[in-house]
């Protein structure tokens, strides 16, 4: 037997998956977003330049290979880079104005699989281009809250500001001084981060390191006036939307492209991998990938992590089950099913069965109506129908059934 690869799962008739997508898509459209789909395979350099060489994703987790045409390619580990590439390639950065996109699909990261952490997982995400103001950051966060509320999922929102090109460099210097003061005792990863991307030390999972950074300078205390004002405004907006948050000064995110607003939604009850959504502002990425400077903000949520938490609405019986009592009625059953499917969900049974077994079959697929045809119905041009919700039975003309 051949099994799926480690950390890669099948999704088979999972109603929560489709319910999640329908809900998220409806809400994204309510916020003015339209659908974008980008290829799963991209040039490796796209992710190196955007997600960043120092990130774990690029450093250790890429599904990267040389294709038959000698191109260095990579299965996308996340969605933002591809959307930004498409945005620039289609010259939408030159068009000006506001562009809002949502997407969903598989992402690939060669991580150590565990509960909530897969090698192929699915994200739903949005990217908004062209709005500089934190109104858009608040709106993007409100959209996540709306999606989670609609799905009955509880959450905690963690918020931070990563500053901008004015305030980040002097902060980085202060942080490096602090790291140097404890350098003897920090882990090997942090020693490496000191040169590649010092702020990543702040979310090191090593407890000893965390203790050593406890009195490190905080980004939030070192923001320039404009970033500090924006952050205050964002907090006020979230309060006005009744969205509770907590400031997490160590929230730096694992991807290098962020500046200013950074956030993560976490949820209890799904184990250690409790981040269900994350995102932030990335005002410099479009320019960094050779586009016209364009402010941008977005997020992505991990669908598999959310599925465990989705509260499904009570499922109602739906559609028709139709079957024959004798061989001679089977083709008529198929004809009627074919025509009725123009306006309703119809599942046809191909084998003749007793009435009792047809009723069982209808119940199994949660049909609202069980429709059966035998010799009498065939001769009278009628069908026998049972409404399985109201438990009522009737015989009606075939023309009425099709109407
Ligand atoms: P991210 O935080 O790397 O951000 O991923 C977003 C979400 O994807 C996480 O919060 C988590 O729910 C889910 N996720 C990540 N890795 C795995 C995994 N191995 N298995 C299962 N679920 C996972 C990004 O990807 C950014 N592109 C988000 C963004 C969009 N920022 C701006 N725009």
């Amino acid at each position: 037997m051949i099994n799926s690869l480690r950390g890669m799962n099948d999704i088979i008739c999972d109603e929560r998956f489709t319910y999640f997508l329908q809900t998220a898509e409806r809400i994204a459209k309510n916020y003015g977003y339209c659908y974008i789909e980008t290829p799963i395979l991209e040039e490796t350099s796209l992710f190196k330049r955007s997600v960043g060489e120092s990130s774990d994703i690029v450093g250790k987790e890429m599904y990267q290979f040389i294709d038959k045409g000698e191109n260095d390619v990579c299965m996308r580990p996340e969605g933002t880079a591809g959307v930004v590439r498409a945005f620039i390639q289609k010259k939408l950065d030159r068009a000006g104005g506001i562009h809002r996109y949502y997407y969903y699909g598989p992402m690939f990261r060669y991580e150590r699989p565990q509960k909530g952490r897969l090698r192929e997982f699915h994200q739903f995400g949005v990217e908004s281009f062209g709005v500089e103001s934190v109104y858009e950051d608040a709106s993007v966060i409100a959209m996540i809250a709306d999606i989670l509320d609609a799905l009955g999922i509880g959450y905690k929102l963690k918020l931070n500001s990563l500053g901008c090109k004015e305030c980040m460099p002097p902060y980085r210097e202060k942080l490096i001084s602090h790291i140097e003061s404890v350098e003897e005792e920090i882990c090997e990863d942090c020693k490496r981060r000191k040169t590649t991307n010092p702020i990543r030390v702040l979310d090191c999972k090593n407890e000893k390191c965390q203790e050593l950074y406890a009195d490190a300078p905080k980004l939030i205390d070192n923001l320039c006036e404009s970033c500090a004002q924006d952050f205050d405004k964002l907090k006020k907006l979230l309060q006005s939307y009744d969205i509770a948050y907590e400031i997490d000064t160590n929230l730096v995110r694992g991807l290098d492209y962020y500046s200013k607003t950074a956030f993560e939604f976490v949820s209890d009850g799904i184990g250690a991998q409790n981040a269900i959504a994350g995102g932030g502002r990335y005002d410099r990425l479009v320019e960094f990938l050779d586009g016209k400077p364009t402010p941008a903000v977005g997020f992505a949520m991990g669908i598999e992590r959310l599925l465990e938490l989705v509260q499904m609405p009570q499922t109602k019986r739906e559609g028709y089950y139709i079957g024959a009592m004798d061989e001679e009625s089977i083709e008529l059953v198929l004809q009627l099913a074919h025509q009725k499917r123009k306006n309703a969900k119809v599942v046809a049974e191909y084998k003749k069965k007793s009435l009792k077994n047809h009723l069982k079959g209808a119940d199994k697929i949660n049909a609202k109506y069980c429709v059966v045809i035998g010799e009498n119905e065939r001769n009278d041009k009628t069908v026998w129908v049972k409404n399985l919700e109201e438990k009522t039975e009737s015989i009606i003309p075939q023309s009425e059934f099709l109407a």
Side-chain angles (χ1 to χ4, degrees):
M1 188 177 70
I2 299 172
N3 289 324
S4 68
L5 296 175
R6 210 160 106 75
M8 301 199 175
N9 291 341
D10 305 300
I11 299 164
I12 304 178
C13 288
D14 189 338
E15 298 220 340
R16 294 163 312 161
F17 195 91
T18 36
Y19 179 65
F20 166 81
L21 276 183
Q22 280 164 6
T23 307
E25 197 164 14
R26 171 175 57 77
I27 291 171
K29 283 182 178 164
N30 284 355
Y31 277 80
Y33 284 73
C34 64
Y35 183 64
I36 185 167
E37 177 145 349
T38 62
I40 285 170
L41 218 51
E42 298 271 6
E43 267 184 38
T44 301
S45 59
L46 173 66
F47 301 110
K48 286 193 172 164
R49 279 173 65 186
S50 55
V51 176
E53 302 258 12
S54 74
S55 66
D56 286 350
I57 295 179
V58 169
K60 312 183 199 161
E61 298 168 359
M62 294 224 284
Y63 274 87
Q64 180 186 356
F65 58 95
I66 306 295
D67 74 5
K68 291 193 171 71
E70 301 287 302
N71 305 297
D72 186 349
V73 296
C74 177
M75 314 257 281
R76 63 181 183 195
E78 58 101 52
T80 311
V83 173
V84 173
R85 195 252 328 119
F87 179 72
I88 299 167
Q89 190 174 338
K90 284 279 177 309
K91 299 194 172 33
L92 294 160
D93 54 332
R94 315 261 145 201
I98 300 169
H99 305 262
R100 297 186 175 102
Y101 309 108
Y102 73 87
Y103 54 87
Y104 51 83
M107 308 292 159
F108 302 83
R109 296 184 191 175
Y110 196 85
E111 295 191 77
R112 196 171 48 77
Q114 63 175 83
K115 185 169 156 47
R117 195 204 273 152
L118 296 161
R119 287 183 173 167
E120 180 183 11
F121 60 98
H122 293 75
Q123 282 186 346
F124 177 90
V126 313
E127 312 297 347
S128 161
F129 298 95
V131 186
E132 214 175 337
S133 113
V134 284
Y135 291 156
E136 193 71 345
D137 309 36
S139 170
V140 153
I141 291 173
M143 190 194 315
I144 306 177
D146 280 355
I147 294 173
L148 297 176
D149 287 346
L151 298 168
I153 298 176
Y155 60 82
K156 214 156 66 183
L157 164 61
K158 295 182 182 180
L159 200 61
N160 196 15
S161 173
L162 300 179
C164 64
K165 60 176 191 278
E166 301 300 322
C167 47
M168 185 40 122
Y171 169 74
R172 190 183 290 124
E173 291 310 312
K174 282 192 194 176
L175 183 63
I176 290 174
S177 302
H178 180 86
I179 300 171
E180 280 168 350
S181 72
V182 292
E183 194 160 3
E184 304 278 278
E185 297 169 82
I186 61 178
C187 71
E188 289 307 310
D189 277 344
C190 280
K191 284 184 183 151
R192 196 173 33 81
R193 287 175 187 133
K194 191 194 116 191
T195 38
T196 55
N197 190 359
I199 63 158
R200 286 294 319 279
V201 304
L202 295 175
D203 77 347
C204 177
K205 301 292 174 276
N206 185 315
E207 274 180 29
K208 178 86 203 292
C209 289
Q210 278 308 330
E211 279 170 29
L212 294 167
Y213 306 138
D215 49 1
K218 307 229 175 313
L219 235 165
I220 215 110
D221 302 328
N222 288 274
L223 296 175
C224 63
E225 205 174 315
S226 148
C227 284
Q229 274 174 6
D230 276 353
F231 198 51
D232 277 344
K233 205 175 188 182
L234 174 63
K235 289 186 284 185
K236 287 203 182 93
L237 281 165
L238 294 178
Q239 280 156 17
S240 75
Y241 294 163
D242 268 339
I243 298 174
Y245 57 81
E246 62 184 53
I247 306 296
D248 180 348
T249 51
N250 288 345
L251 177 74
V252 295
R253 310 271 304 127
L255 307 96
D256 289 357
Y257 48 63
Y258 293 108
S259 54
K260 297 191 178 175
T261 308
F263 57 82
E264 221 157 67
F265 282 70
V266 295
S267 195
D268 292 337
I270 50 168
Q273 302 304 317
N274 64 352
I276 49 176
R281 186 160 271 283
Y282 50 95
D283 288 344
R284 292 162 71 195
L285 184 57
V286 177
E287 183 183 5
F288 201 65
L289 292 176
D290 306 323
K292 194 174 155 201
T294 308
V297 58
F299 75 81
M301 40 206 341
I303 301 182
E304 282 85 354
R305 288 188 193 169
L306 290 171
L307 290 190
E308 281 191 45
L309 303 164
V310 169
Q311 308 277 331
M312 286 291 286
Q314 284 274 335
T315 45
K316 280 199 180 156
R317 290 188 172 277
E318 184 200 9
Y320 295 80
Y321 166 104
I322 181 165
M325 301 277 286
D326 54 8
E327 289 291 338
E328 294 76 6
S329 302
I330 291 177
E331 286 188 13
L332 175 59
V333 158
L334 298 183
Q335 263 308 320
L336 290 174
H338 175 67
Q339 290 180 48
K340 187 70 183 170
R341 283 188 189 123
K342 307 269 186 271
N343 56 33
K345 174 180 168 183
V346 184
V347 175
E349 170 57 56
Y350 296 158
K351 288 192 193 130
K352 73 164 187 184
K353 281 188 176 166
S354 68
L355 183 59
K356 194 172 145 213
N357 281 337
H358 279 314
L359 285 165
K360 266 196 203 160
D363 191 48
K364 200 165 161 197
I365 61 155
N366 214 24
K368 185 169 175 187
Y369 300 99
C370 177
V371 180
V372 174
I373 298 175
E375 191 181 353
N376 290 346
E377 288 79 17
R378 205 170 59 244
N379 291 337
D380 300 346
K381 294 199 173 5
T382 57
V383 296
W384 179 90
V385 187
K386 178 161 184 174
N387 181 326
L388 297 172
E389 231 166 48
E390 294 167 7
K391 313 258 182 274
T392 52
E393 298 171 21
S394 54
I395 292 175
I396 58 167
Q398 287 167 13
S399 55
E400 190 180 313
F401 167 67
L402 291 176

